[in-house]
Amino acid sequence: MTANKPSLPIVENFSRRAAVKGGFATLGAASFVAAISPLRHAAQNSSAGEFMQNHYTELTPEQKSDVLARLESEAKENYGADVTIGDDRPIPGTKFVYAINLSVCNGNGKCVEACHKENNHDRATNQSYIRVLEMPVGTMDMEQGSTTYTGIVPKDGKFYLPVQCQQCDEPPCVDVCPVKATWKEEDGIVVVDYNWCIGCRYCEAACPYHARRFNWKKPEVPAEEINPDQSYLSNRIRPVGVVEKCTYCLHRTRRGKLPACLEACPTGARVFGNILDKDSNIRWILENKRVYILKEELGTKPAFFYYFD
Amino acid sequence: MKRTASLFFAAMVCTVASMTIVSLTTSVTKSDASDNAEPDQTDWKQGALFQPAGKMISSVQNQGFASETITPTKCFEVEIRRPGGPPRVELAGADPQGRAGSVACSTCHSVRKPNVDNRTAATLDEFHQGLQFNHGTIACYSCHHSQNTDSLRMADGTQIDFADVMTLCSQCHSKQAESFAHGAHGGMNGFWDLSRGPQTKNNCIDCHDPHAPAFPKMIVDFKPRDRFNEPVVHDHGETTHE
C-alpha cells in the first residue's frame, strides 16, 4: 500500500463541478414540486368540472343545470344533507329596498340569529351578515358603536343600529374586484359567484359598512340544521377561502317572500319592498318619515334606509 | 447541463399530465355518483331552467306556482291577526271534583255593579290582583264595556268586539295606526309580493300588553363570535418591559 493511493474507489469522470450541478438540480426539482403542491391539493379537492367552470353570467342553461346538480351532490357528499340549489333570477320590474325603524329597534339580535340559520353560516363562529351596533344617542357615526353589548336591551342613552349589506347603487366592493366575481344585478342585489371568487378580500376592505365576510375555514353546519332551500348566488354553503355577503335573502325574496331577518324581528322594525311599486310600504316610508342613509357622504347610494317615527 | 434541463422539462410535463388525470378521474366518479343517486331530480331541475326568460324560477317554487303566470293584480290578501274573542279568566282554585276552569268576564260582572271610576287593580279587594297597569290615567271602563263586559267600549260608548281591538287602540294611537296601515309599524310574515302569496301582520296586542303597553325589555342571547367581539388583550405589559 502506497500513501498516495486513495482508500475508497473513485468513480471515473465524476468531477466536483458535476456534483454541484446535480445537487442544485435536485434542489430545483424539489422546490418546484413544493411550489406546485397547493395546485396538487386543489386538484384533489376540486373536480375538473369545478376547475373548468365558467363565470356564472357566461353559463349556458345546460351548463347551469350541470353546475347546480354537481353542487347538490357535493352538499350531500360533504354535509350529508339533501338540498335543492335553485337559480333565482331577478323579477322584472323590481328593485329591492330595505328600511329599518330605529325608533323601534331594541337591539335584541333576533335578526342576527335568523340570518345565521337561514344562510347556513358556520356554526362555530356564529357568523351572520348582520351586525347590530349599540350607539350613543345623538350620532350616526358608526365608529362610536359597539357590537359587544350583552344583557338586557334597550339600555338607557343608547339606540341600536343594525348594519348589513346596503346593496349600494355605486358599490365600491364591485369596483375593486379584480376578477369580476361580484356584481350588481337588475333588482339591485349585489351578488358573489362563490366559485369565481379568488379570496383576495379587496371587496371586504373596500366596503365602508363592513358588510362582507370571509370564510377563513370550511363552514361547519350539522346536516339537520342545514337550510335545504338554497340558491346558487345566495345561501348555498360557501367553500373555504371566498367572500360572502347579505343578498337580501334572494332565494326567498325573488320567490316573493320576505327576508328571514324581517320575519324574525320581534319589534317589527324592519320593512322590505319594491321601490318601483308606487303603492308599496317602502315608498310611503320614504315619502313620509325622517329617513337617513349611512355614510351618505361617500356617495355609495345605498338601497338601505333608516328612519325614525 | 442539457441533459439536466431535459430531465427537468420531462418532470414538469409528467406532473402536469398526472394532475390532469387525477382531476379528470375525480370528476368522472363524482358525476357518476350524482347521476346514479338522483336522476329524476336533475331532470326536473333542467325543466325549471328552460322556462322562458321572463320568469326563470327556482325548483322549490316551481312545484307550487308552476302553472301560475305573473299578473300585475295582487291576488293574495294581507291578513291582520285578530284575537280569538273575549278573554277567559282562569279560576284560582279547583272545584270539589278537583277541576280547574275558566269563566267569561260576564260570569261575575253581570251580577256586580261596575265602578266606572276605578283606575288600578290596587284598589280592588278581590280578583285581578296581580294585574300590572301602566297605561296612562284611563279607567278600566274607558276601554272595557261596563254593561256587556264580554266586549270593549269605544270612546263614544259603542260596543266593539274584542276581536276588533285595533279599532279601539287606533282612537288614541292614530300615528301608530297610520304607520301600521303602511307597514311601518308592527311585524309581518309571509310574502312581500302579494301576487305570489299572502302576508300575515301582527295586531296591537300581539306585541303590546294592553294594560302595560310599553314594549318589554329583552335579553340578547345570540352573538357572532368574530374578532370584533373578543375583548382586546393587552398582555405585553409584563413581557416587554423586562
Side-chain angles (χ1 to χ4, degrees):
Chain A
M1 276 219 176
T2 53
N4 60 350
K5 193 146 190 184
S7 57
L8 288 170
I10 294 173
V11 179
E12 291 298 317
N13 299 330
F14 189 82
S15 65
R16 180 188 173 85
R17 180 174 291 260
V20 172
K21 271 185 191 166
F24 275 106
T26 317
L27 207 66
S31 63
F32 177 74
V33 170
I36 64 161
S37 77
L39 273 177
R40 283 193 297 120
H41 288 300
Q44 280 165 13
N45 291 337
S46 67
S47 60
E50 185 179 342
F51 191 70
M52 302 299 287
Q53 184 188 321
N54 244 336
H55 190 277
Y56 171 81
T57 54
E58 292 169 2
L59 292 174
T60 64
E62 295 87 350
Q63 288 173 329
K64 237 178 216 177
S65 64
D66 288 347
V67 166
L68 296 180
R70 192 192 77 229
L71 291 171
E72 285 172 359
S73 70
E74 281 178 6
K76 180 75 182 161
E77 191 180 315
N78 296 332
Y79 291 93
D82 292 306
V83 303
T84 55
I85 301 179
D87 174 42
D88 297 284
R89 300 304 304 143
I91 305 168
T94 54
K95 184 178 188 313
F96 289 134
V97 163
Y98 219 126
I100 293 186
N101 186 347
L102 295 182
S103 302
V104 168
C105 177
N106 66 1
N108 60 71
K110 292 283 185 230
C111 52
V112 183
E113 185 176 9
C115 175
H116 174 75
K117 290 177 175 161
E118 177 71 27
N119 288 301
N120 296 312
H121 281 288
D122 177 40
R123 290 297 184 262
T125 50
N126 276 8
Q127 192 54 275
S128 174
Y129 295 144
I130 305 171
R131 196 176 276 131
V132 184
L133 300 178
E134 185 179 67
M135 305 272 291
V137 292
T139 179
M140 290 288 275
D141 178 12
M142 277 173 75
E143 304 305 319
Q144 297 190 38
S146 153
T147 61
T148 56
Y149 68 93
T150 52
I152 297 171
V153 288
K155 294 182 170 61
D156 291 340
K158 305 282 187 188
F159 76 99
Y160 295 86
L161 182 70
V163 180
Q164 62 206 78
C165 175
Q166 313 272 309
Q167 316 290 0
C168 307
D169 284 348
E170 301 286 346
C173 53
V174 168
D175 292 344
V176 298
C177 181
V179 295
K180 291 192 164 58
T182 180
W183 65 96
K184 189 173 176 68
E185 301 226 295
E186 298 88 82
D187 57 359
I189 298 179
V190 176
V191 294
V192 181
D193 183 352
Y194 309 120
N195 284 28
W196 202 255
C197 174
I198 57 171
C200 69
R201 302 176 65 213
Y202 283 13
C203 54
E204 201 183 345
C207 175
Y209 307 103
H210 308 297
R212 288 185 171 241
R213 308 281 186 276
F214 184 68
N215 282 283
W216 288 98
K217 61 186 186 62
K218 184 185 165 203
E220 289 168 18
V221 192
E224 66 276 11
E225 291 180 21
I226 287 177
N227 174 11
D229 296 333
Q230 303 181 359
S231 189
Y232 182 89
L233 293 172
S234 178
N235 64 335
R236 69 185 168 99
I237 302 180
R238 276 75 62 188
V240 66
V242 303
V243 169
E244 58 182 34
K245 63 181 286 299
C246 165
T247 60
Y248 280 177
C249 279
L250 66 82
H251 57 284
R252 297 170 62 96
T253 51
R254 285 183 182 172
R255 300 171 194 176
K257 291 158 102 182
L258 289 162
C261 48
L262 185 146
E263 292 205 336
C265 180
T267 65
R270 289 169 170 266
V271 185
F272 178 81
N274 175 15
I275 199 174
L276 301 182
D277 178 1
K278 284 205 307 297
D279 305 322
S280 62
N281 293 335
I282 206 93
R283 280 286 280 267
W284 185 86
I285 288 167
L286 295 182
E287 287 161 9
N288 291 283
K289 297 284 187 181
R290 292 184 291 138
V291 179
Y292 291 76
I293 56 178
L294 272 187
K295 301 197 179 182
E296 183 178 7
E297 69 280 9
L298 299 180
T300 51
K301 299 182 187 163
F304 202 104
F305 301 93
Y306 298 92
Y307 68 99
F308 296 89
D309 277 335
Chain B
M1 202 60 210
K2 237 180 195 173
R3 166 167 291 183
T4 318
S6 54
L7 268 175
F8 190 63
F9 181 72
M12 264 174 67
V13 170
C14 285
T15 321
V16 170
S18 60
M19 269 170 59
T20 317
I21 290 165
V22 164
S23 61
L24 275 175
T25 43
T26 327
S27 76
V28 166
T29 47
K30 274 189 182 174
S31 64
D32 278 353
S34 68
D35 284 351
N36 294 338
E38 294 160 315
D40 51 346
Q41 194 181 15
T42 320
D43 285 344
W44 60 251
K45 170 123 333 223
Q46 283 174 346
L49 283 160
F50 290 146
Q51 290 213 343
K55 194 188 182 189
M56 188 120 72
I57 48 175
S58 71
S59 52
V60 174
Q61 199 197 358
N62 197 18
Q63 294 168 325
F65 301 97
S67 58
E68 188 192 287
T69 51
I70 289 184
T71 49
T73 53
K74 292 172 177 172
C75 24
F76 291 92
E77 295 289 313
V78 176
E79 189 210 339
I80 299 170
R81 285 159 44 82
R82 284 151 65 97
R88 310 274 298 176
V89 179
E90 295 293 327
L91 294 176
D95 68 3
Q97 282 73 38
R99 291 172 297 196
S102 63
V103 295
C105 306
S106 56
T107 307
C108 303
H109 282 285
S110 58
V111 296
R112 283 165 178 259
K113 189 171 177 294
N115 175 10
V116 291
D117 294 329
N118 190 50
R119 290 167 195 277
T120 166
T123 53
L124 300 176
D125 313 332
E126 46 183 0
F127 293 107
H128 309 308
Q129 289 300 307
L131 181 73
Q132 294 295 316
F133 184 82
N134 185 15
H135 194 167
T137 54
I138 55 176
C140 302
Y141 288 111
S142 301
C143 300
H144 291 280
H145 202 275
S146 58
Q147 304 308 316
N148 178 3
T149 45
D150 287 333
S151 64
L152 297 171
R153 176 188 179 276
M154 296 285 280
D156 61 1
T158 53
Q159 276 188 36
I160 186 171
D161 282 342
F162 271 89
D164 296 323
V165 63
M166 291 197 64
T167 315
L168 181 84
C169 304
S170 303
Q171 297 177 111
C172 298
H173 305 285
S174 62
K175 270 286 175 197
Q176 283 81 351
E178 185 195 22
S179 288
F180 181 90
H182 293 98
H185 188 107
M188 61 197 93
N189 273 277
F191 288 75
W192 66 267
D193 183 356
L194 293 176
S195 66
R196 296 183 183 226
Q199 193 183 100
T200 311
K201 289 173 83 170
N202 296 329
N203 72 52
C204 305
I205 64 171
D206 281 335
C207 304
H208 301 283
D209 180 346
H211 297 121
F215 196 84
K217 296 253 180 185
M218 294 180 72
I219 293 175
V220 185
D221 59 354
F222 183 91
K223 279 277 156 190
R225 283 190 285 272
D226 63 14
R227 59 201 164 94
F228 301 109
N229 278 352
E230 295 301 324
V232 182
V233 183
H234 296 287
D235 61 348
H236 38 76
E238 300 94 47
T239 50
T240 51
H241 285 293
E242 292 296 340

